[in-house]
Amino acid sequence: MGHRSKILDCTIRDGGLVNNWDFSVEFVQDLYNSLSAAGVEYMEIGYKNSPKLLNATEPNPWRFLDDNFLKEIFPEKKSTKFSALVDIGRVDPNDILPRDQSVLDMIRVACYIREVDKGLELVQMFHDLGYETSLNIMALSSVPEKQLTKAFDMVRESPVDVVYIVDSFGSLDPADIEHQVKRFQELIPNKELGIHTHNNMQLAFANTLAAMQNGVTYLDSSVYGMGRAAGNCNTELLVSYIQKPSYELKPVLEMIERHMLDMRQKWEWGYIIPYMISGVLNEHPRVAMAYRDSADRDKFADFYDKVTSPEVSVSPATK
């Protein structure tokens, strides 16, 4: 089990949602060297979104990856490949170089089910430029069957390499994951699958294993679980659990020791009760995140009352 698996570490990209991508160049270089020494196959180094489309006033190197900047800080690539994520409508095709001129190897497209056609247009473009590609379909836990089947007809015909099952709200359990994986395998038998989990209910690792045991190849994770709100499956858990001779745990532990303990003092992520509650309710964690930023941050029962009483429920327009 696991010999085929590939770990894609998204500490910078998903962890950046925790600290607004406040990572030093040294940190990112150190992470790359550590992941490389650990045998991790991919490192997602940020978003390839275009600053002008997001009216960005302050340039953020990890949120708006620039190929020249990447070449400068990674003059020599090691065995770990680089990936970047793009969002539909936030990327300018003119900002994408052909792969042979870029440090990036893979470009992943995140989209909701209703935008799969737009997502696949981007995939086609990245594919034609020589990149490995993936389509990460978000918020799967609430997609009607018919809509999924229709979207997957398009996916099956596209050149996309990997299709991701994304547990956006950390609300799925291993049985749900197994069900999704089988459904994906039936609808797109010609595609490799990936899994991206969140740890709202302490199930990110278990869900990732369930996916792997059912034939999913690409496993997303982050060092010390650093990712938005409840965080992701931990890279250190996967590296130590999967029996693959190329994996080495110690470099990841050293990275945690050197950097992540201090970061965790400064920024909060991981299994925290309001995030647990949003996972249980299959809701986006934004309400819980706002609550953690308020003076009532530890009034868990009060938070539970707020999000479960009908008059506070999200208006239909935003659902």
Side-chain angles (χ1 to χ4, degrees), residues 116-135:
V116 160
D117 52 342
K118 292 196 186 84
L120 291 174
E121 278 169 33
L122 285 176
V123 161
Q124 184 71 55
M125 176 182 88
F126 300 141
H127 173 81
D128 293 344
L129 289 168
Y131 292 96
E132 296 174 36
T133 57
S134 87
L135 189 69

Side-chain angles (χ1 to χ4, degrees), residues 44-95:
E44 190 147 81
I45 189 168
Y47 283 94
K48 190 81 181 91
N49 290 336
S50 306
K52 51 185 171 300
L53 293 179
L54 285 166
N55 302 326
T57 41
E58 53 208 89
N60 185 306
W62 318 117
R63 198 161 163 229
F64 307 108
L65 290 167
D66 175 85
D67 281 291
N68 295 327
F69 169 73
L70 287 178
K71 280 194 195 79
E72 217 170 284
I73 65 171
F74 295 107
E76 301 257 310
K77 271 171 75 175
K78 303 188 171 193
S79 57
T80 298
K81 292 177 173 177
F82 283 112
S83 81
L85 191 74
V86 299
D87 295 311
I88 307 273
R90 293 181 173 181
V91 58
D92 179 347
N94 301 318
D95 288 347

Side-chain angles (χ1 to χ4, degrees), residues 153-173:
D153 288 341
M154 293 187 276
V155 174
R156 200 169 48 242
E157 301 307 311
S158 82
V160 71
D161 298 305
V162 189
V163 181
Y164 264 84
I165 296 164
V166 182
D167 181 15
S168 299
F169 306 152
S171 59
L172 303 178
D173 67 19

Side-chain angles (χ1 to χ4, degrees), residues 32-294:
Y32 181 65
N33 293 334
S34 303
L35 291 173
S36 212
V40 169
E41 287 82 3
Y42 292 81
M43 165 168 160
E44 190 147 81
I45 189 168
Y47 283 94
K48 190 81 181 91
N49 290 336
S50 306
K52 51 185 171 300
L53 293 179
L54 285 166
N55 302 326
T57 41
E58 53 208 89
N60 185 306
W62 318 117
R63 198 161 163 229
F64 307 108
L65 290 167
D66 175 85
D67 281 291
N68 295 327
F69 169 73
L70 287 178
K71 280 194 195 79
E72 217 170 284
I73 65 171
F74 295 107
E76 301 257 310
K77 271 171 75 175
K78 303 188 171 193
S79 57
T80 298
K81 292 177 173 177
F82 283 112
S83 81
L85 191 74
V86 299
D87 295 311
I88 307 273
R90 293 181 173 181
V91 58
D92 179 347
N94 301 318
D95 288 347
I96 312 288
L97 293 176
R99 179 181 177 179
D100 54 17
Q101 296 169 36
S102 171
V103 168
L104 299 171
D105 301 283
M106 176 187 248
I107 301 184
R108 310 203 298 167
V109 178
C111 71
Y112 291 103
I113 196 94
R114 60 177 181 275
E115 323 159 309
V116 160
D117 52 342
K118 292 196 186 84
L120 291 174
E121 278 169 33
L122 285 176
V123 161
Q124 184 71 55
M125 176 182 88
F126 300 141
H127 173 81
D128 293 344
L129 289 168
Y131 292 96
E132 296 174 36
T133 57
S134 87
L135 189 69
N136 298 23
I137 305 172
M138 300 181 288
L140 263 180
S141 47
S142 44
V143 175
E145 195 79 29
K146 220 163 98 184
Q147 211 179 354
L148 200 65
T149 313
K150 216 173 108 189
F152 276 166
D153 288 341
M154 293 187 276
V155 174
R156 200 169 48 242
E157 301 307 311
S158 82
V160 71
D161 298 305
V162 189
V163 181
Y164 264 84
I165 296 164
V166 182
D167 181 15
S168 299
F169 306 152
S171 59
L172 303 178
D173 67 19
D176 298 324
I177 297 289
E178 184 172 349
H179 171 71
Q180 296 284 8
V181 171
K182 294 205 153 94
R183 203 157 64 144
F184 275 46
Q185 285 164 338
E186 235 163 76
L187 296 167
I188 42 173
N190 58 336
K191 300 298 180 191
E192 293 256 34
L193 299 182
I195 181 83
H196 181 92
T197 57
H198 282 266
N199 206 29
N200 301 62
M201 304 198 304
Q202 298 271 40
L203 289 172
F205 180 50
N207 284 342
T208 304
L209 295 188
M212 181 178 90
Q213 283 150 1
N214 283 283
V216 169
T217 311
Y218 286 76
L219 314 174
D220 276 19
S221 63
S222 57
V223 174
Y224 214 41
M226 185 182 189
R228 187 197 65 200
N232 306 105
C233 176
N234 298 50
T235 301
E236 60 276 12
L237 280 172
L238 290 180
V239 166
S240 56
Y241 180 87
I242 298 171
Q243 298 302 301
K244 200 172 182 182
S246 46
Y247 290 157
E248 191 64 61
L249 176 61
K250 203 173 156 191
V252 187
L253 298 180
E254 289 168 342
M255 185 73 198
I256 294 170
E257 208 175 293
R258 274 199 300 276
H259 301 281
M260 310 307 285
L261 295 177
D262 287 346
M263 278 188 169
R264 189 64 183 70
Q265 294 299 309
K266 198 166 161 190
W267 296 299
E268 176 181 273
W269 70 84
Y271 173 75
I272 286 153
I273 297 297
Y275 301 149
M276 178 213 101
I277 293 167
S278 63
V280 168
L281 298 173
N282 190 19
E283 297 270 331
H284 192 290
R286 66 172 77 85
V287 180
M289 288 159 76
Y291 198 76
R292 291 302 289 167
D293 276 340
S294 74

